PDB file of all heavy atoms in Angstrom:
ATOM      1  N   ARG A  29      70.253 -30.441  87.742  1.00 98.00           N
ATOM      2  CA  ARG A  29      70.338 -30.490  86.279  1.00 98.00           C
ATOM      3  C   ARG A  29      68.968 -30.874  85.746  1.00 98.00           C
ATOM      4  O   ARG A  29      68.464 -31.972  86.018  1.00 98.00           O
ATOM      5  CB  ARG A  29      71.379 -31.514  85.840  1.00 98.00           C
ATOM      6  CG  ARG A  29      71.474 -31.706  84.335  1.00 98.00           C
ATOM      7  CD  ARG A  29      71.974 -30.443  83.641  1.00 98.00           C
ATOM      8  NE  ARG A  29      72.424 -30.694  82.285  1.00 98.00           N
ATOM      9  CZ  ARG A  29      71.692 -30.441  81.175  1.00 98.00           C
ATOM     10  NH1 ARG A  29      70.487 -29.924  81.290  1.00 98.00           N
ATOM     11  NH2 ARG A  29      72.198 -30.702  79.982  1.00 98.00           N
ATOM     12  N   TYR A  31      66.721 -31.482  82.440  1.00 96.00           N
ATOM     13  CA  TYR A  31      66.675 -31.688  80.986  1.00 96.00           C
ATOM     14  C   TYR A  31      65.288 -31.289  80.501  1.00 96.00           C
ATOM     15  O   TYR A  31      64.290 -31.596  81.151  1.00 96.00           O
ATOM     16  CB  TYR A  31      66.895 -33.159  80.623  1.00 96.00           C
ATOM     17  CG  TYR A  31      68.277 -33.694  80.903  1.00 96.00           C
ATOM     18  CD1 TYR A  31      68.474 -34.670  81.875  1.00 96.00           C
ATOM     19  CD2 TYR A  31      69.376 -33.243  80.183  1.00 96.00           C
ATOM     20  CE1 TYR A  31      69.739 -35.187  82.126  1.00 96.00           C
ATOM     21  CE2 TYR A  31      70.646 -33.755  80.430  1.00 96.00           C
ATOM     22  CZ  TYR A  31      70.816 -34.727  81.399  1.00 96.00           C
ATOM     23  OH  TYR A  31      72.054 -35.230  81.636  1.00 96.00           O
ATOM     24  N   HIS A  32      65.257 -30.601  79.356  1.00 93.00           N
ATOM     25  CA  HIS A  32      63.961 -30.260  78.754  1.00 93.00           C
ATOM     26  C   HIS A  32      63.763 -31.200  77.576  1.00 93.00           C
ATOM     27  O   HIS A  32      64.533 -31.170  76.622  1.00 93.00           O
ATOM     28  CB  HIS A  32      63.958 -28.808  78.284  1.00 93.00           C
ATOM     29  CG  HIS A  32      64.279 -27.855  79.394  1.00 93.00           C
ATOM     30  ND1 HIS A  32      63.357 -27.511  80.359  1.00 93.00           N
ATOM     31  CD2 HIS A  32      65.411 -27.200  79.707  1.00 93.00           C
ATOM     32  CE1 HIS A  32      63.916 -26.670  81.214  1.00 93.00           C
ATOM     33  NE2 HIS A  32      65.175 -26.465  80.858  1.00 93.00           N
ATOM     34  N   LEU A  33      62.766 -32.047  77.696  1.00 89.00           N
ATOM     35  CA  LEU A  33      62.557 -33.062  76.671  1.00 89.00           C
ATOM     36  C   LEU A  33      61.084 -33.052  76.255  1.00 89.00           C
ATOM     37  O   LEU A  33      60.202 -33.307  77.074  1.00 89.00           O
ATOM     38  CB  LEU A  33      62.955 -34.429  77.242  1.00 89.00           C
ATOM     39  CG  LEU A  33      63.347 -35.511  76.241  1.00 89.00           C
ATOM     40  CD1 LEU A  33      64.627 -35.129  75.504  1.00 89.00           C
ATOM     41  CD2 LEU A  33      63.545 -36.840  76.962  1.00 89.00           C
ATOM     42  N   ILE A  38      62.730 -32.742  83.058  1.00 95.00           N
ATOM     43  CA  ILE A  38      63.193 -33.899  83.827  1.00 95.00           C
ATOM     44  C   ILE A  38      64.274 -33.426  84.786  1.00 95.00           C
ATOM     45  O   ILE A  38      65.336 -32.960  84.351  1.00 95.00           O
ATOM     46  CB  ILE A  38      63.773 -34.991  82.900  1.00 95.00           C
ATOM     47  CG1 ILE A  38      62.695 -35.466  81.914  1.00 95.00           C
ATOM     48  CG2 ILE A  38      64.313 -36.169  83.717  1.00 95.00           C
ATOM     49  CD1 ILE A  38      63.244 -36.277  80.763  1.00 95.00           C
ATOM     50  N   ARG A  39      63.990 -33.513  86.081  1.00 96.00           N
ATOM     51  CA  ARG A  39      64.982 -33.111  87.074  1.00 96.00           C
ATOM     52  C   ARG A  39      65.893 -34.305  87.355  1.00 96.00           C
ATOM     53  O   ARG A  39      65.699 -35.038  88.311  1.00 96.00           O
ATOM     54  CB  ARG A  39      64.294 -32.642  88.364  1.00 96.00           C
ATOM     55  CG  ARG A  39      63.573 -31.342  88.189  1.00 96.00           C
ATOM     56  CD  ARG A  39      62.860 -30.876  89.445  1.00 96.00           C
ATOM     57  NE  ARG A  39      62.384 -29.516  89.224  1.00 96.00           N
ATOM     58  CZ  ARG A  39      63.064 -28.414  89.570  1.00 96.00           C
ATOM     59  NH1 ARG A  39      64.206 -28.512  90.207  1.00 96.00           N
ATOM     60  NH2 ARG A  39      62.578 -27.216  89.297  1.00 96.00           N
ATOM     61  N   ALA A  40      66.869 -34.486  86.493  1.00 97.00           N
ATOM     62  CA  ALA A  40      67.749 -35.653  86.583  1.00 97.00           C
ATOM     63  C   ALA A  40      68.555 -35.623  87.884  1.00 97.00           C
ATOM     64  O   ALA A  40      68.763 -36.654  88.525  1.00 97.00           O
ATOM     65  CB  ALA A  40      68.673 -35.712  85.385  1.00 97.00           C
ATOM     66  N   VAL A  41      69.033 -34.438  88.252  1.00 98.00           N
ATOM     67  CA  VAL A  41      69.689 -34.227  89.545  1.00 98.00           C
ATOM     68  C   VAL A  41      68.970 -33.045  90.176  1.00 98.00           C
ATOM     69  O   VAL A  41      68.810 -31.994  89.541  1.00 98.00           O
ATOM     70  CB  VAL A  41      71.201 -33.961  89.375  1.00 98.00           C
ATOM     71  CG1 VAL A  41      71.827 -33.542  90.701  1.00 98.00           C
ATOM     72  CG2 VAL A  41      71.906 -35.205  88.832  1.00 98.00           C
ATOM     73  N   GLY A  58      71.717 -46.043  93.747  1.00 95.00           N
ATOM     74  CA  GLY A  58      70.332 -45.736  93.404  1.00 95.00           C
ATOM     75  C   GLY A  58      69.991 -46.500  92.147  1.00 95.00           C
ATOM     76  O   GLY A  58      70.881 -46.836  91.372  1.00 95.00           O
ATOM     77  N   ARG A  59      68.692 -46.769  91.954  1.00 92.00           N
ATOM     78  CA  ARG A  59      68.353 -47.581  90.791  1.00 92.00           C
ATOM     79  C   ARG A  59      68.561 -46.806  89.494  1.00 92.00           C
ATOM     80  O   ARG A  59      68.818 -45.610  89.507  1.00 92.00           O
ATOM     81  CB  ARG A  59      66.959 -48.177  90.913  1.00 92.00           C
ATOM     82  CG  ARG A  59      65.835 -47.260  91.225  1.00 92.00           C
ATOM     83  CD  ARG A  59      64.524 -48.065  91.271  1.00 92.00           C
ATOM     84  NE  ARG A  59      64.200 -48.485  92.632  1.00 92.00           N
ATOM     85  CZ  ARG A  59      63.280 -47.894  93.388  1.00 92.00           C
ATOM     86  NH1 ARG A  59      62.587 -46.873  92.929  1.00 92.00           N
ATOM     87  NH2 ARG A  59      63.019 -48.318  94.603  1.00 92.00           N
ATOM     88  N   SER A  60      68.448 -47.528  88.409  1.00 93.00           N
ATOM     89  CA  SER A  60      68.641 -46.947  87.082  1.00 93.00           C
ATOM     90  C   SER A  60      67.697 -45.756  86.903  1.00 93.00           C
ATOM     91  O   SER A  60      66.527 -45.835  87.270  1.00 93.00           O
ATOM     92  CB  SER A  60      68.364 -48.041  86.053  1.00 93.00           C
ATOM     93  OG  SER A  60      68.488 -47.522  84.773  1.00 93.00           O
ATOM     94  N   GLY A  61      68.228 -44.665  86.390  1.00 95.00           N
ATOM     95  CA  GLY A  61      67.412 -43.472  86.159  1.00 95.00           C
ATOM     96  C   GLY A  61      67.345 -42.529  87.339  1.00 95.00           C
ATOM     97  O   GLY A  61      66.683 -41.495  87.283  1.00 95.00           O
ATOM     98  N   SER A  62      68.072 -42.841  88.419  1.00 96.00           N
ATOM     99  CA  SER A  62      67.988 -41.987  89.613  1.00 96.00           C
ATOM    100  C   SER A  62      68.885 -40.752  89.524  1.00 96.00           C
ATOM    101  O   SER A  62      68.857 -39.902  90.403  1.00 96.00           O
ATOM    102  CB  SER A  62      68.296 -42.805  90.873  1.00 96.00           C
ATOM    103  OG  SER A  62      69.562 -43.403  90.789  1.00 96.00           O
ATOM    104  N   GLY A  63      69.703 -40.668  88.463  1.00 97.00           N
ATOM    105  CA  GLY A  63      70.495 -39.444  88.262  1.00 97.00           C
ATOM    106  C   GLY A  63      71.980 -39.598  88.536  1.00 97.00           C
ATOM    107  O   GLY A  63      72.719 -38.601  88.538  1.00 97.00           O
ATOM    108  N   LYS A  64      72.448 -40.827  88.721  1.00 96.00           N
ATOM    109  CA  LYS A  64      73.842 -41.051  89.125  1.00 96.00           C
ATOM    110  C   LYS A  64      74.845 -40.590  88.060  1.00 96.00           C
ATOM    111  O   LYS A  64      75.808 -39.903  88.362  1.00 96.00           O
ATOM    112  CB  LYS A  64      74.066 -42.544  89.436  1.00 96.00           C
ATOM    113  CG  LYS A  64      73.101 -43.110  90.462  1.00 96.00           C
ATOM    114  CD  LYS A  64      73.398 -44.565  90.779  1.00 96.00           C
ATOM    115  CE  LYS A  64      73.295 -45.530  89.602  1.00 96.00           C
ATOM    116  NZ  LYS A  64      71.929 -45.653  89.036  1.00 96.00           N
ATOM    117  N   THR A  65      74.611 -41.010  86.817  1.00 95.00           N
ATOM    118  CA  THR A  65      75.547 -40.650  85.752  1.00 95.00           C
ATOM    119  C   THR A  65      75.527 -39.143  85.496  1.00 95.00           C
ATOM    120  O   THR A  65      76.581 -38.519  85.303  1.00 95.00           O
ATOM    121  CB  THR A  65      75.216 -41.439  84.465  1.00 95.00           C
ATOM    122  OG1 THR A  65      75.451 -42.829  84.727  1.00 95.00           O
ATOM    123  CG2 THR A  65      76.087 -41.005  83.297  1.00 95.00           C
ATOM    124  N   THR A  66      74.345 -38.565  85.545  1.00 97.00           N
ATOM    125  CA  THR A  66      74.240 -37.111  85.378  1.00 97.00           C
ATOM    126  C   THR A  66      75.048 -36.406  86.465  1.00 97.00           C
ATOM    127  O   THR A  66      75.801 -35.462  86.177  1.00 97.00           O
ATOM    128  CB  THR A  66      72.755 -36.681  85.436  1.00 97.00           C
ATOM    129  OG1 THR A  66      72.030 -37.406  84.447  1.00 97.00           O
ATOM    130  CG2 THR A  66      72.601 -35.189  85.193  1.00 97.00           C
ATOM    131  N   LEU A  67      74.935 -36.894  87.693  1.00 97.00           N
ATOM    132  CA  LEU A  67      75.690 -36.308  88.807  1.00 97.00           C
ATOM    133  C   LEU A  67      77.199 -36.423  88.561  1.00 97.00           C
ATOM    134  O   LEU A  67      77.949 -35.460  88.747  1.00 97.00           O
ATOM    135  CB  LEU A  67      75.303 -37.012  90.115  1.00 97.00           C
ATOM    136  CG  LEU A  67      76.048 -36.572  91.374  1.00 97.00           C
ATOM    137  CD1 LEU A  67      75.771 -35.111  91.701  1.00 97.00           C
ATOM    138  CD2 LEU A  67      75.662 -37.447  92.570  1.00 97.00           C
ATOM    139  N   ASP A 186      81.974 -45.104  86.945  1.00 95.00           N
ATOM    140  CA  ASP A 186      80.537 -45.251  86.685  1.00 95.00           C
ATOM    141  C   ASP A 186      80.222 -46.725  86.440  1.00 95.00           C
ATOM    142  O   ASP A 186      80.588 -47.272  85.409  1.00 95.00           O
ATOM    143  CB  ASP A 186      80.128 -44.394  85.481  1.00 95.00           C
ATOM    144  CG  ASP A 186      78.604 -44.234  85.379  1.00 95.00           C
ATOM    145  OD1 ASP A 186      77.878 -44.938  86.118  1.00 95.00           O
ATOM    146  OD2 ASP A 186      78.149 -43.409  84.572  1.00 95.00           O
ATOM    147  N   GLU A 187      79.562 -47.361  87.385  1.00 94.00           N
ATOM    148  CA  GLU A 187      79.174 -48.776  87.308  1.00 94.00           C
ATOM    149  C   GLU A 187      80.351 -49.679  86.901  1.00 94.00           C
ATOM    150  O   GLU A 187      80.237 -50.453  85.941  1.00 94.00           O
ATOM    151  CB  GLU A 187      78.024 -48.970  86.302  1.00 94.00           C
ATOM    152  CG  GLU A 187      76.828 -48.055  86.518  1.00 94.00           C
ATOM    153  CD  GLU A 187      75.773 -48.630  87.455  1.00 94.00           C
ATOM    154  OE1 GLU A 187      76.022 -49.705  88.061  1.00 94.00           O
ATOM    155  OE2 GLU A 187      74.723 -47.995  87.604  1.00 94.00           O
ATOM    156  N   VAL A 218      79.861 -44.710  91.222  1.00 96.00           N
ATOM    157  CA  VAL A 218      78.436 -44.722  90.986  1.00 96.00           C
ATOM    158  C   VAL A 218      78.046 -46.157  90.653  1.00 96.00           C
ATOM    159  O   VAL A 218      78.697 -46.796  89.824  1.00 96.00           O
ATOM    160  CB  VAL A 218      78.136 -43.773  89.805  1.00 96.00           C
ATOM    161  CG1 VAL A 218      76.877 -44.159  89.092  1.00 96.00           C
ATOM    162  CG2 VAL A 218      78.087 -42.348  90.283  1.00 96.00           C
ATOM    163  N   HIS A 220      74.771 -49.537  91.180  1.00 91.00           N
ATOM    164  CA  HIS A 220      73.648 -50.093  91.941  1.00 91.00           C
ATOM    165  C   HIS A 220      73.954 -51.540  92.357  1.00 91.00           C
ATOM    166  O   HIS A 220      73.058 -52.302  92.681  1.00 91.00           O
ATOM    167  CB  HIS A 220      72.320 -49.955  91.195  1.00 91.00           C
ATOM    168  CG  HIS A 220      72.269 -50.657  89.878  1.00 91.00           C
ATOM    169  ND1 HIS A 220      72.582 -50.029  88.692  1.00 91.00           N
ATOM    170  CD2 HIS A 220      71.959 -51.923  89.557  1.00 91.00           C
ATOM    171  CE1 HIS A 220      72.448 -50.884  87.702  1.00 91.00           C
ATOM    172  NE2 HIS A 220      72.083 -52.060  88.207  1.00 91.00           N
ATOM    173  N   MET A 234      70.635 -42.130  96.081  1.00 97.00           N
ATOM    174  CA  MET A 234      69.798 -41.210  95.304  1.00 97.00           C
ATOM    175  C   MET A 234      68.491 -41.869  94.902  1.00 97.00           C
ATOM    176  O   MET A 234      68.438 -43.079  94.678  1.00 97.00           O
ATOM    177  CB  MET A 234      70.538 -40.773  94.033  1.00 97.00           C
ATOM    178  CG  MET A 234      71.701 -39.852  94.310  1.00 97.00           C
ATOM    179  SD  MET A 234      72.484 -39.294  92.793  1.00 97.00           S
ATOM    180  CE  MET A 234      71.224 -38.175  92.161  1.00 97.00           C
TER     181      MET A 234
HETATM  182  P1  ADP B  29      71.369 -43.298  86.255  1.00 74.48           P
HETATM  183  O1  ADP B  29      72.808 -43.124  85.872  1.00 74.48           O
HETATM  184  O2  ADP B  29      71.141 -43.302  87.725  1.00 74.48           O
HETATM  185  O3  ADP B  29      70.758 -44.492  85.605  1.00 74.48           O
HETATM  186  P2  ADP B  29      70.939 -40.923  84.625  1.00 74.48           P
HETATM  187  O4  ADP B  29      71.709 -39.842  85.266  1.00 74.48           O
HETATM  188  O5  ADP B  29      71.502 -41.549  83.421  1.00 74.48           O
HETATM  189  O6  ADP B  29      70.553 -42.014  85.726  1.00 74.48           O
HETATM  190  O7  ADP B  29      69.487 -40.359  84.225  1.00 74.48           O
HETATM  191  C1  ADP B  29      68.666 -39.661  85.147  1.00 74.48           C
HETATM  192  C2  ADP B  29      67.379 -39.180  84.449  1.00 74.48           C
HETATM  193  O8  ADP B  29      67.694 -38.197  83.479  1.00 74.48           O
HETATM  194  C3  ADP B  29      66.669 -40.282  83.704  1.00 74.48           C
HETATM  195  O9  ADP B  29      65.273 -40.042  83.820  1.00 74.48           O
HETATM  196  C4  ADP B  29      67.129 -40.087  82.279  1.00 74.48           C
HETATM  197  O10 ADP B  29      66.168 -40.564  81.371  1.00 74.48           O
HETATM  198  C5  ADP B  29      67.292 -38.592  82.194  1.00 74.48           C
HETATM  199  N1  ADP B  29      68.340 -38.192  81.243  1.00 74.48           N
HETATM  200  C6  ADP B  29      69.644 -38.546  81.311  1.00 74.48           C
HETATM  201  N2  ADP B  29      70.339 -37.991  80.309  1.00 74.48           N
HETATM  202  C7  ADP B  29      69.436 -37.264  79.578  1.00 74.48           C
HETATM  203  C8  ADP B  29      69.528 -36.432  78.395  1.00 74.48           C
HETATM  204  N3  ADP B  29      70.695 -36.222  77.788  1.00 74.48           N
HETATM  205  N4  ADP B  29      68.384 -35.855  77.945  1.00 74.48           N
HETATM  206  C9  ADP B  29      67.227 -36.044  78.576  1.00 74.48           C
HETATM  207  N5  ADP B  29      67.066 -36.788  79.700  1.00 74.48           N
HETATM  208  C10 ADP B  29      68.144 -37.390  80.186  1.00 74.48           C
END
Side-chain angles (χ1 to χ4, degrees):
R29 176 65 164 100
Y31 292 114
H32 303 283
L33 204 65
I38 300 166
R39 290 179 171 266
V41 172
R59 52 179 94 103
S60 178
S62 57
K64 305 182 299 296
T65 295
T66 304
L67 177 63
D186 194 350
E187 308 270 7
V218 154
H220 61 267
M234 290 183 71

